Amino acid sequence: MNHNKPNDRNNKKKQSISIDKWNNLMFHYKSGKQNISKNNSTNNNSNESNITAVAGNWIAAVGTIISAIGSTPSTIFSQQTLTDFNVIGNILQAGGSAIGVEAEEALLDVVGGQISAIGNLAVVAGILSENEQSGQLLEKQGNLLQVVGVGITINTEGKLTLLQTIANTGNIIQLIGNVIEVFADSDTSEGEVMNAVGAWIQAVGAVITALASE
């Protein structure tokens, strides 16, 4: 015998509807707009979004590689050249994140991309700061913002496609690299090496994410 009251069933149904609405908002918040468009228009918009996503991810990936070079102690490049690499790399990362956001369908990805871009700009401000203490603080805060931004974009929805899984893996690797950079003490030789390792791990993750762009 079923002892569930009608109100209990209604409450469960409402909860299920609320969860579905939340998932649609977080993961597919642009889909409603796309369904309104005509088929040809939708296909064109989809192609443009794909190109935008690929461009944004690859610009960010190139930026992480350049930044990693700038973060690596070297006898080939001068310290000023390494600093310039770091600035250019973080600017490219910020630009790539900002471009990629335009193609995102998930609200969390949009917010995460924006936070990551702000984090990269904060790192640039820290590098260019004339006050060493303030500069280091800005760099730490910028790396922390990137940790938050990348962490938000990690997809926990489940039932991912192969490319989505690869992209997710890339984001997780980037997150690990960012966390290492946050805890690296640039005032010590060990900290410089640790920061370089984190930067290269982040670069590997960014390339993996870019390769999974569709």
Side-chain angles (χ1 to χ4, degrees):
M1 181 179 293
N2 188 354
H3 296 285
N4 290 335
K5 296 180 180 179
N7 286 340
D8 292 338
R9 290 196 296 270
N10 290 336
N11 288 336
K12 290 180 180 179
K13 186 176 181 180
K14 289 179 180 178
Q15 289 175 356
S16 177
I17 293 173
S18 298
I19 292 172
D20 289 340
K21 286 182 177 180
W22 173 260
N23 286 335
N24 286 333
L25 175 63
M26 292 296 102
F27 298 109
H28 310 288
Y29 86 113
K30 288 184 181 178
S31 60
K33 296 179 182 178
Q34 293 175 347
N35 289 335
I36 297 174
S37 304
K38 294 181 180 179
N39 289 336
N40 291 337
S41 176
T42 301
N43 289 336
N44 290 335
N45 289 339
S46 177
N47 290 334
E48 289 175 4
S49 295
N50 290 344
I51 294 172
T52 301
V54 171
N57 285 333
W58 275 111
I59 290 172
V62 170
T64 58
I65 293 172
I66 294 174
S67 181
I69 294 172
S71 299
T72 305
S74 173
T75 56
I76 300 175
F77 301 111
S78 67
Q79 186 57 48
Q80 183 58 51
T81 301
L82 293 177
T83 299
D84 292 341
F85 278 153
N86 245 325
V87 171
I88 294 170
N90 276 282
I91 290 174
L92 286 174
Q93 288 179 64
S97 295
I99 292 172
V101 159
E102 297 300 319
E104 296 295 349
E105 294 185 357
L107 181 58
L108 290 178
D109 288 342
V110 172
V111 174
Q114 292 171 340
I115 292 175
S116 293
I118 293 171
N120 288 121
L121 294 178
V123 171
V124 171
I127 294 172
L128 299 178
S129 176
E130 295 181 357
N131 186 304
E132 184 177 352
Q133 187 174 0
S134 298
Q136 288 179 349
L137 180 60
L138 275 171
E139 287 186 58
K140 289 287 185 184
Q141 291 173 338
N143 285 324
L144 277 172
L145 284 172
Q146 290 180 64
V147 168
V148 174
V150 175
I152 289 175
T153 62
I154 293 175
N155 196 330
T156 58
E157 188 181 12
K159 296 181 180 179
L160 303 178
T161 65
L162 177 59
L163 286 179
Q164 288 174 333
T165 301
I166 294 173
N168 221 30
T169 301
N171 287 335
I172 292 172
I173 293 173
Q174 288 186 71
L175 179 64
I176 293 171
N178 282 135
V179 170
I180 292 174
E181 288 181 290
V182 168
F183 288 102
D185 184 2
S186 57
D187 290 333
T188 65
S189 57
E190 292 83 1
E192 287 184 351
V193 172
M194 184 177 176
N195 185 65
V197 170
W200 280 109
I201 290 175
Q202 183 186 357
V204 170
V207 171
I208 292 173
T209 299
L211 287 171
S213 300
E214 49 180 344

